[in-house]
Amino acid sequence: LTRACLARIERLNPRLTAFITVTADQALREAKAADSEIAQKRWRGPLHGIPVALKDLIDTAGVKTTAGSAIFADRVPREDAEVVRRLREAGAVFLGKLNMHEFAYGDSSAQTHYGPVRNPWDLARVPGGSSGGSAAAVAAWLCYAALGSDTGGSIRQPAAYCGIVGFKPTYGLVSTRGVVPLSWSLDHIGPMCRTVMDAA
């Protein structure tokens, strides 16, 4: 699954600009570790070995987190965000960091230091924002799931634009520790997937 995703990223990302950072070597190491654990009957659950990606405002230890901005172009966190820690515990494989509207402050994902994200169904159209890279990556099968953030529609709108499922959880249900804030009192982190069952 990881190799299939990495091959699609290599082929399609130059046109979509969904990913800012691809962590291919790390992803292959994590996938091999998951294969080994599963073979030893140490299955962690339904996310074990599944390739996922993260909106680039979610901190990842040792991997840059830019929030789509030149200001944070060289920002490398020392710690994982809480959602990343939990995904690691569940055995998810991380493919990299996804493009977004700069600092999550917009609804097109066209205003980003790394180039505009394009809708995989029609490259002349926007994927919505601010989690446009997350929606485009899931819709184009570059990953099996992604995390986005939603302050005023930033999971729900791009999910609708790209024909996928986005879920904005109840406020406070999912930790925002280690996430670059837009509005601490309104920010939510949630899954973006191809189906309702995957999101659940």
Side-chain angles (χ1 to χ4, degrees), residues 30 34 37 44 47-50 86-93:
E30 291 171 356
E37 289 175 349
R44 301 191 200 184
L47 289 176
H48 201 174
I50 302 300
R86 291 185 184 203
L87 284 171
R88 285 194 199 284
E89 284 185 357
V93 173

Side-chain angles (χ1 to χ4, degrees), residues 69-182:
S69 177
I71 294 170
F72 283 172
D74 298 316
R75 179 177 177 268
V76 179
R78 293 185 201 167
E79 295 182 10
D80 286 333
E82 177 63 16
V83 287
V84 175
R85 186 188 71 76
R86 291 185 184 203
L87 284 171
R88 285 194 199 284
E89 284 185 357
V93 173
F94 292 101
L95 296 168
K97 307 299 281 295
L98 296 161
N99 206 350
M100 55 179 283
H101 205 103
E102 187 172 12
F103 287 116
Y105 197 67
D107 61 0
S108 69
S109 295
Q111 303 300 317
T112 164
H113 175 66
Y114 300 92
V117 184
R118 292 183 170 81
N119 192 311
W121 299 106
D122 181 346
L123 298 179
R125 298 180 186 271
V126 300
S130 63
S131 304
S134 299
V138 170
W141 291 78
L142 306 187
C143 57
Y144 287 87
L147 287 186
S149 68
D150 194 313
T151 304
S154 291
I155 288 174
R156 296 161 290 161
Q157 184 219 44
Y161 282 25
C162 292
I164 65 167
V165 174
F167 181 71
K168 175 189 172 188
T170 302
Y171 180 74
L173 184 65
V174 178
S175 173
T176 57
R177 186 189 67 75
V179 176
V180 177
L182 175 56

